[in-house]
């Protein structure tokens, strides 16, 4: 399928950039990638072309990490006021109509979050495609002095400190929860990534960013490329297209978590030969079955972008991809049955994504409509 990505604020722009940087073969699933921020420095750090970037909202409540003084309503109003300008940038640069738009944003700040609801509402009105959000949740240490102190050890101060070059954001939990509430009924679906769960012990937020963004970009590419990727390549046995993804993500702002598993496999490359030899060695069926089973298990039961019980999901999607010889049809069907058994209900779809140049077998899992305690906890911390 063809996805457009719109990054808002620091995290949003870095995520959009990371998605754009995913393997060239997967770039085929992207139409345009935009980066919008109040902060010029963020924009310059990306490799997104100037035609697709815009600095906006200078001098408004959207600017700077103390800009809102905890008053998010001011931010939402300022967000509303900039929407027309952003839509104009988009219209000027836009190449093709996408099958879907993904707005990426870090919840907790004062730029991206407050802009997202108004921009998404405007995109829903003006583009004939679902508009999904990919949002990060703040780590506890950004707003919780106890969490920050615990991470640094017992003999340090008690002010919330992220331990790196990220400013403390005392209102981050409340901003995140209120922005999520504002996205309800506006975004077609809300894909979450929880920074708290992806931080490693002792690691600063700044350190974890690049790794987290890459992980998340890989998941986004695996899901939204669907069965496509290389249009000249082999066709999937069971195609996952834009309408399948739309069916699973829904239109009612469902909370979505993404799972992913990957295993590098041996392929003999034809790059060094004359292209006369088969590009892959024969793959033992048992080996292919085991690789598919392994990645599917990782995808369903491994670390999710947002911690939740897979059993609570209303709908699920499984895409198994990799070099065609490794995509064992029976094993993929088995994986789909496993996801079906886990999710319950009947809303499970599955398919494959052949990647002739791929060096890994992967499984991308979408769990939509999940329930979770993490949001409850953030709500408590936000009060
Ligand atoms: N995963 C990830 N999370 C990030 C990244 N940068 C920031 N965050 C998270 O996103 C939240 C919002 O940060 P930014 O996106 O920088 O904020 P902003 O929207 O630019 O708003 P300002 O406060 O005005 O800078 C932070 O509290 C972090 O939790 C990133 O690169 N990756
Ligand atoms: Mg910023």
């Amino acid at each position: 399928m063809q996805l457009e990505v719109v990054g808002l604020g620091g995290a949003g722009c870095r995520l959009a950039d990371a998605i754009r940087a995913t393997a060239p073969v997967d770039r085929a699933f992207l139409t345009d990638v935009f980066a919008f921020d109040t902060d010029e420095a963020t924009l310059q750090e990306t490799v997104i072309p100037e035609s697709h970037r815009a600095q906006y909202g200078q001098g408004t409540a959207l600017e700077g990490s103390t800009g809102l003084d905890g008053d998010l309503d001011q931010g939402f109003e300022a967000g509303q006021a900039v929407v027309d300008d952003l839509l104009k940038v988009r219209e000027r640069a836009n190449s093709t109509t996408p099958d879907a738009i993904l707005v990426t944003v870090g919840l907790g700040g004062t730029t991206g979050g407050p802009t997202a609801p108004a921009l998404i509402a405007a995109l829903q009105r003006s583009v004939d495609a679902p508009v999904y959000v990919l949002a990060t949740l703040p780590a506890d240490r950004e707003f919780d002095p106890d969490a920050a102190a615990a991470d640094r050890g017992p003999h340090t101060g008690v002010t919330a400190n992220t331990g790196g070059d990220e400013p403390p954001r005392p209102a981050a939990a409340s901003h995140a929860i209120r922005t999520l509430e504002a996205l309800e009924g506006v975004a077609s679906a809300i894909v979450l990534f929880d920074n708290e769960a992806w931080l490693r012990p002792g690691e600063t937020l700044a350190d974890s960013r690049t790794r987290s963004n890459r992980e998340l970009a890989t998941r986004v590419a695996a899901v939204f490329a669907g069965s496509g990727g290389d249009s000249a390549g082999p066709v999937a046995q069971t195609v996952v297209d834009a309408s399948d993804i739309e069916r699973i993500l829904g239109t009612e702002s469902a909370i979505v978590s993404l799972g992913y598993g990957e295993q590098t496999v041996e392929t003999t490359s034809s790059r060094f030969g004359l292209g006369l030899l088969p590009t892959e060695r024969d793959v033992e069926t048992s080996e292919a079955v085991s690789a598919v089973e392994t990645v599917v298990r990782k995808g369903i039961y491994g670390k999710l972008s947002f911690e939740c019980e897979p059993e609570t999901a209303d709908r699920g999607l499984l895409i198994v991809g990799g070099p065609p010889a490794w995509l064992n049809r029976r094993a993929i069907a088995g994986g789909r049955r496993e996801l079906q058994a886990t999710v319950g209900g009947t809303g499970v779809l599955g398919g494959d994504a052949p990647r002739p140049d791929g060096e890994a077998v992967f499984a991308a899992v979408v769990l939509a409509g999940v329930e979770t305690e993490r949001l409850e906890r953030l709500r408590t911390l936000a009060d």
Side-chain angles (χ1 to χ4, degrees):
M1 68 176 277
Q2 295 277 286
L3 184 74
E4 175 180 324
V5 180
V6 180
L8 291 177
C13 290
R14 284 187 284 276
L15 279 167
D17 204 33
I19 292 169
R20 197 173 175 276
T22 49
V25 63
D26 289 336
R27 182 93 62 86
F29 79 98
L30 294 172
T31 57
D32 294 274
V33 178
F34 293 95
F36 299 147
D37 197 353
T38 51
D39 184 1
E40 176 70 27
T42 311
L43 297 171
Q44 300 213 329
E45 277 164 29
T46 70
V47 294
I48 292 170
E50 243 168 83
S51 57
H52 285 65
R53 294 186 217 161
Q55 193 185 3
Y56 72 96
Q58 299 102 300
T60 72
L62 295 171
E63 194 169 29
S65 52
T66 53
L68 284 179
D69 276 341
D71 182 359
L72 197 61
D73 290 329
Q74 270 182 17
F76 286 136
E77 267 172 45
Q80 192 75 51
V82 299
V83 160
D84 287 344
D85 288 346
L86 296 183
L87 285 184
K88 270 185 214 138
V89 176
R90 177 186 177 274
E91 271 154 33
R92 239 192 337 264
N94 203 257
S95 50
T96 17
T97 308
D99 296 313
I101 301 179
L102 183 69
V103 174
T104 57
V105 65
L107 301 182
T110 60
T111 302
T115 315
L119 182 68
I120 291 164
L123 287 168
Q124 295 278 26
R125 284 192 298 270
S126 56
V127 187
D128 185 21
V131 187
Y132 306 117
V133 181
L134 174 66
T136 67
L137 294 177
D140 290 355
R141 71 183 67 173
E142 294 181 69
F143 53 84
D144 180 359
D146 294 341
D151 193 66
R152 290 198 314 278
H155 303 298
T156 46
V158 289
T159 352
N161 186 325
T162 50
D165 55 6
E166 280 282 315
R169 297 173 184 272
S174 127
H175 280 186
I177 290 298
R178 290 183 56 205
T179 307
L180 279 176
E181 283 166 4
L183 290 169
E184 268 294 331
V186 175
S188 303
I190 304 170
V191 183
L192 290 180
F193 179 88
D194 189 359
N195 278 319
E196 175 67 17
W198 285 80
L199 270 173
R200 290 179 179 157
E203 193 180 41
T204 66
L205 278 174
D207 286 345
S208 79
R209 257 184 200 171
T210 314
R211 182 175 48 82
S212 295
N213 293 357
R214 207 182 304 126
E215 289 264 9
L216 192 46
T218 303
R219 289 164 189 237
V220 166
V223 171
F224 287 96
S227 291
D230 186 355
S231 49
V235 177
Q237 292 166 349
T238 308
V239 174
V240 174
D241 63 16
S243 63
D244 294 326
I245 290 173
E246 206 174 327
R247 211 169 112 199
I248 296 304
L249 293 180
T251 52
E252 310 206 311
S253 312
I255 298 290
V256 176
S257 186
L258 304 180
Y260 186 78
E262 187 182 277
Q263 183 180 309
T264 308
V265 293
E266 237 178 82
T267 52
T268 46
S269 170
S270 64
R271 264 169 276 173
F272 306 110
L274 295 170
L276 302 172
L277 296 169
T279 50
E280 283 165 37
R281 68 191 176 88
D282 289 336
V283 176
E284 290 279 346
T285 305
S286 63
E287 249 186 302
V289 167
S290 142
V292 170
E293 286 176 352
T294 303
V295 297
V296 167
R297 264 197 303 273
K298 279 189 202 162
I300 304 176
Y301 308 112
K303 197 172 176 65
L304 298 167
S305 66
F306 173 64
E307 229 168 278
C308 61
E309 296 297 329
E311 293 76 16
T312 64
D314 291 331
R315 300 174 299 280
L317 172 70
L318 170 71
I319 298 175
V320 179
W326 287 86
L327 301 183
N328 183 279
R329 194 189 281 240
R330 267 190 303 119
I332 295 174
R336 180 180 157 164
R337 278 196 300 277
E338 180 145 6
L339 181 61
Q340 180 108 41
T342 308
V343 166
T346 50
V348 170
L349 294 176
D352 57 298
R355 297 279 186 273
D357 295 329
E359 284 163 4
V361 172
F362 68 85
V365 173
V366 177
L367 299 167
V370 292
E371 284 166 23
T372 155
E373 280 168 21
R374 175 67 177 151
L375 288 182
E376 276 316 309
R377 187 175 137 65
L378 272 182
R379 236 172 241 128
T380 323
L381 291 166
D383 290 338

